[in-house]
């Protein structure tokens, strides 16, 4: 029942090449297909999925449970789920109108601009539809691919918190911190339209 309620409140977002839509329990096979890859999860601090059942539990507990908005990233050309993108409560700021953005993408789709396309669409949605005043994003400083997405999307680097995040295997990592305010977003959108 909870899954159906969330799907009603989460409108799909369409971009040129992608459809961002609510997750469903039936998507576990597609999630497992990319989340089992040891090159995907550890960059974001989570362990590779060990089974389809684990992926199904992640969909139920995180994507449909913990996260405020979590979309499956669907490649319109193949109609396959190739990643995820989500807003959750900002872990570093106790401000209701500030959300943290997180994402993951199947390795075979890295370097094609898909994540930048999804991030920019979700940023617009966050400010225009969710009424956010700020969006934050955090990454491991060693994750250069994510850093490029963040830079292209217009976030401002705030600094690095040293030894600020413990990941699934007990490793303590530094966290590079970025944010974008509503005012910065509107200025950037205005400049893009000119």
């Amino acid at each position: 029942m909870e899954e159906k309620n969330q799907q009603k409140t989460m409108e799909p977002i369409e971009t040129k090449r992608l459809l961002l839509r609510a997750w469903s329990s039936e998507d576990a096979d597609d999630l497992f297909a990319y989340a089992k890859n040891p090159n995907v999860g550890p960059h974001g601090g989570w362990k590779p999925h060990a089974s389809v059942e684990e992926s199904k539990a992640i969909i139920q507990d995180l994507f449909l449970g913990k996260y405020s908005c979590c979309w499956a990233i669907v490649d319109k050309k193949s109609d396959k789920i190739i990643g995820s993108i989500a807003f959750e409560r900002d872990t570093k700021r106790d401000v209701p109108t500030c959300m943290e953005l997180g994402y993951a993408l199947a390795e075979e789709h890295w370097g094609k601009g898909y994540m930048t396309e999804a991030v920019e669409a979700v940023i617009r949605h966050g400010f225009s539809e969710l009424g956010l005043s700020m969006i934050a994003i955090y990454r491991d400083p060693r994750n250069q691919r994510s850093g490029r997405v963040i830079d292209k999307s217009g976030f401002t680097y705030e600094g690095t918190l040293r030894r600020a995040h413990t990941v699934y295997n007990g490793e303590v990592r530094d966290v590079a911190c970025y944010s974008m305010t509503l005012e910065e977003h509107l200025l950037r959108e205005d400049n893009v339209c000119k």
Side-chain angles (χ1 to χ4, degrees), residues 21-88:
R21 64 157 176 84
W23 283 90
S24 159
S25 298
E26 288 86 46
D27 296 326
D29 287 330
D30 283 353
L31 173 58
F32 180 65
Y34 75 84
K36 67 183 178 183
N37 183 334
N39 294 325
V40 175
H43 286 295
W46 48 272
K47 76 174 189 64
H49 293 193
S51 67
V52 173
E53 291 73 29
E54 182 179 2
S55 294
K56 189 171 189 173
I58 294 293
I59 290 171
Q60 287 298 324
D61 298 342
L62 289 180
F63 294 176
L64 298 173
K66 178 183 174 193
Y67 296 152
S68 298
C69 296
C70 185
W71 295 268
I73 301 173
V74 180
D75 174 16
K76 289 198 283 192
K77 192 173 183 179
S78 68
D79 200 35
K80 286 286 191 193
I81 294 173
I82 61 171
S84 61
I85 188 164
F87 281 125
E88 66 175 304

Side-chain angles (χ1 to χ4, degrees), residues 17 27 34 41 50 62 70 77 83 86 105 117 124 151 194:
R17 299 178 294 170
D27 296 326
Y34 75 84
L62 289 180
C70 185
K77 192 173 183 179
L105 188 68
E117 189 173 322
R124 275 189 223 96
D151 290 341
K194 287 182 181 177

Side-chain angles (χ1 to χ4, degrees), residues 20 24 57 61 63 75 77 86 102 107 112 144 146 159 184 188:
L20 311 181
S24 159
D61 298 342
F63 294 176
D75 174 16
K77 192 173 183 179
E107 184 176 18
K112 298 177 182 176
Q144 295 302 313
S146 188
E184 289 166 342
R188 186 168 191 266

Side-chain angles (χ1 to χ4, degrees), residues 140 142 165-173:
D140 182 328
R142 297 170 294 185
H165 183 64
T166 304
V167 298
Y168 72 97
N169 63 2
E171 177 188 358
V172 178
R173 294 182 179 174

